Amino acid sequence: MDQLTSDIFSILENKFLFGNNVSSNSTPTKEMTPGRHVTGRVRVLSIDGSGATDGLLAAKSILYLETSLRLKSGIPDARISDFFDVVSGSGIGGVLAALLFTKGKDGEPLFTANDAVKFVSENGHKLSKFSKQGVFKRLLGSSAKNGKVFHKIFGDLSLKDTVKPVLIPCYDFTTGGPFVFSRADAVEMDGCDFKMRDVCAATTAVNGPFATLSVDKRTKISAISGELAMNNPTAMAITHILNNKQEFPFCNGLEDLLVVSLGNGEPFCGVAGNQTPSRSTYVKIFGDTVSDTVDQAVSMAFGQSRTSNYARIQANERYVKSENHSYGNEVDKSKMAEEMLKQRNVESVLFQGKKYNDTNLDKIQFFATEIIKETERRKTNILPTVVLRQTTTSSSPRTSSATTLSITSSN
C-alpha cells in the first residue's frame, strides 16, 4: 500500500498547496475525473465459445489485432497480453485466453497469436464437437485425449501463473450453477487455484462432466462446457472489474473501460420441413441467443460511448455459405473465418436495432489504434490503472467478485 498511498496523498497535497495545477508537466487537477485522466481505461479482451468456426474467427481476429498492435507500437515482438489488462474466455475462447495469457519459464506468454491460430486449426473442431448420446467409450476417449493435449502445453502451471487477470467459466454440477476460474480468486483464497490444464478441460467439457480438484485439494467441481454457462463472457468480465476496487481502484463506470469482444461466427441452424433439431443444434441456438443478448445489453449500457469504448467482432455463417463456398473440415473453417472477417461489422444501436459499419477487419484496425492511444496515455499517468494482487496464503473471505490489493502495478 505504501507507494499507492503516497501517490494519492501527493495529488491531494499538490492540489491544496498549489491550486488547480498539480505540476507544470501534468494534467490540471480539475480535469482529473476518475479513470479517464488519472489512470486511463481498463482494457478488456473477451472471447466467445466455438461458434460456427470452432474458435478460428476469434483466433484470427486476435492474430490481426496483435499484428496491428505490433506495427502501431513499433514493438515487433509484442504480445496481445501486453495491451490488455483482463481477459475472459468461454469454451475454446477460454483455451485461447489460457494459451495467450499463461506465462512460461521465460516469463513470456506460452503462445503468440500465430501459435494460437495453429493450435485452434488443429484442435478446435475436436474441442467443440458433441459426441452422440450413449457412446460412453467415445466420450471417455475424447476427454482423455484432450487432457493429454492440455497437459503437454501447461504442465503444472496454474491460474496463479497468468500474466494478467484471467476469467474462464464452466457450469458446475456440484453446486448447480456457473463457476468462474479466476486468477483473482486463486491468489486471494484457498481452494480457488486450479491447474490450467484442468481449467481448459473443464471449460471445453462438451460431452460430459469433467471432475477436477483445486491445487490444494480443497475444492472439487464437476464441470461441463463454459459455452453452456455463458458463451459470451463479456458481461462477466465487466462485472468483475466494476466490483473489484482493489485491483481496479479508479474504474467507476463503463466510460472507464475499453472492451473488445470476439465472437466465433453465428452458425446457420435452419431445419428443413418438420425435421427435429439435433441436440447440438439446440445447444448452438441457445449459445447464440445468449451471446446476442449479452452483446445487446452491453452495447446499450455503453450508450453513446460504445463507438469508442466497445467493439464486437461477429459474423454469420449463412452469408458466407450463400457465396456458394463449400465448408466441411478444419481447413475450410479457416477459410470461412477469413471470409467472416471481411463481412460488414454489425453494431447494436441504442433503441434502433442493428447498424452496419465497415468490415470486421476495419473495426479491428480502429480499436488497435484506440488501444495504442490508451497505452501511450498511461506513460504519463499519475496513478496505476491496474494493481494486481499477488500470491498470498490468506484464507479470509473475499471482499468482491475478484481479489484484493497488491502493490505490483500493471500499466
Side-chain angles (χ1 to χ4, degrees):
M1 284 290 292
D2 291 347
Q3 183 61 47
L4 183 59
T5 302
S6 175
D7 288 338
I8 293 172
F9 276 95
S10 177
I11 293 174
L12 295 175
E13 181 182 61
N14 277 290
K15 177 179 178 181
F16 289 119
L17 290 179
F18 305 111
N20 286 334
N21 291 326
V22 176
S23 70
S24 60
N25 296 321
S26 61
T27 306
T29 307
K30 64 181 179 181
E31 296 181 8
M32 291 181 183
T33 56
R36 181 68 56 91
H37 298 292
V38 177
T39 64
R41 294 174 291 178
V42 177
R43 304 161 302 181
V44 183
L45 178 64
S46 178
I47 314 171
D48 281 18
S50 60
T53 63
D54 294 337
L56 274 167
L57 177 59
K60 286 180 175 287
S61 297
I62 293 170
L63 177 59
Y64 280 108
L65 182 57
E66 183 179 85
T67 301
S68 182
L69 290 169
R70 286 177 171 182
L71 290 172
K72 293 176 185 294
S73 67
I75 306 174
D77 58 349
R79 302 293 188 87
I80 197 73
S81 60
D82 296 330
F83 299 97
F84 286 93
D85 305 304
V86 179
V87 64
S88 61
S90 182
I92 190 66
V95 176
L96 279 168
L99 296 174
L100 296 166
F101 284 77
T102 304
K103 59 186 175 183
K105 294 180 180 178
D106 58 357
E108 293 293 322
L110 291 169
F111 277 41
T112 64
N114 191 53
D115 295 332
V117 169
K118 292 179 181 178
F119 176 86
V120 174
S121 296
E122 295 173 0
N123 300 283
H125 65 293
K126 304 172 188 175
L127 300 176
S128 307
K129 184 178 180 181
F130 282 84
S131 298
K132 294 180 179 179
Q133 290 179 322
V135 189
F136 178 75
K137 184 177 181 180
R138 183 181 298 177
L139 299 182
L140 185 61
S142 176
S143 299
K145 188 174 182 179
N146 292 342
K148 290 180 180 178
V149 171
F150 295 138
H151 189 282
K152 182 178 180 180
I153 294 172
F154 297 105
D156 290 326
L157 295 174
S158 74
L159 285 164
K160 292 181 180 179
D161 297 307
T162 53
V163 296
K164 299 287 178 67
V166 172
L167 301 163
I168 300 175
C170 68
Y171 184 89
D172 179 22
F173 280 110
T174 303
T175 59
F179 182 91
V180 179
F181 297 101
S182 166
R183 177 195 181 277
D185 290 342
V187 298
E188 180 186 3
M189 299 170 59
D190 293 334
C192 290
D193 188 26
F194 290 80
K195 292 183 178 180
M196 293 306 296
R197 66 190 190 220
D198 292 340
V199 172
C200 291
T203 198
T204 57
V206 295
N207 290 316
F210 174 78
T212 185
L213 291 169
S214 59
V215 174
D216 60 10
K217 312 299 183 185
R218 294 191 178 199
T219 304
K220 180 179 181 180
I221 66 170
S222 180
I224 197 166
S225 175
E227 296 177 39
L228 298 178
M230 50 186 84
N231 194 53
N232 180 348
T234 306
M236 172 189 67
I238 292 173
T239 302
H240 171 91
I241 295 166
L242 295 179
N243 286 280
N244 180 8
K245 291 300 182 183
Q246 290 81 11
E247 286 190 311
F248 311 97
F250 301 101
C251 186
N252 293 327
L254 295 179
E255 68 277 4
D256 297 326
L257 297 174
L258 196 164
V259 179
V260 176
S261 174
L262 304 178
N264 268 308
E266 295 181 342
F268 177 56
C269 297
V271 178
N274 295 321
Q275 181 182 355
T276 301
S278 65
R279 180 174 63 132
S280 61
T281 298
Y282 277 123
V283 172
K284 288 179 180 179
I285 293 171
F286 172 77
D288 292 337
T289 301
V290 172
S291 292
D292 285 345
T293 301
V294 170
D295 171 44
Q296 184 79 7
V298 170
S299 183
M300 297 305 97
F302 272 100
Q304 298 304 318
S305 66
R306 69 186 180 278
T307 56
S308 60
N309 289 46
Y310 174 63
R312 174 68 172 167
I313 305 300
Q314 182 61 297
N316 197 305
E317 180 186 32
R318 176 188 301 185
Y319 300 117
V320 176
K321 287 191 172 182
S322 67
E323 304 271 333
N324 295 320
H325 297 301
S326 176
Y327 300 104
N329 54 45
E330 64 272 20
V331 176
D332 294 329
K333 290 290 178 69
S334 180
K335 295 178 182 178
M336 180 190 290
E338 291 288 346
E339 292 295 323
M340 286 181 166
L341 285 169
K342 297 175 185 177
Q343 284 184 20
R344 295 181 67 183
N345 183 260
V346 181
E347 175 190 341
S348 295
V349 183
L350 187 61
F351 305 126
Q352 297 179 28
K354 299 287 185 178
K355 173 186 176 183
Y356 283 100
N357 294 310
D358 294 329
T359 68
N360 282 320
L361 285 174
D362 293 329
K363 192 83 167 182
I364 290 172
Q365 288 288 336
F366 175 80
F367 269 80
T369 300
E370 289 296 304
I371 292 167
I372 292 298
K373 288 179 181 178
E374 189 60 44
T375 304
E376 291 299 313
R377 183 161 43 236
R378 292 188 183 190
K379 294 178 180 178
T380 59
N381 284 348
I382 297 172
L383 298 174
T385 303
V386 183
V387 186
L388 295 183
R389 172 81 162 135
Q390 298 302 298
T391 302
T392 179
T393 57
S394 172
S395 59
S396 58
R398 55 185 152 185
T399 55
S400 71
S401 64
T403 180
T404 54
L405 190 63
S406 154
I407 202 54
T408 299
S409 65
S410 173
N411 286 322

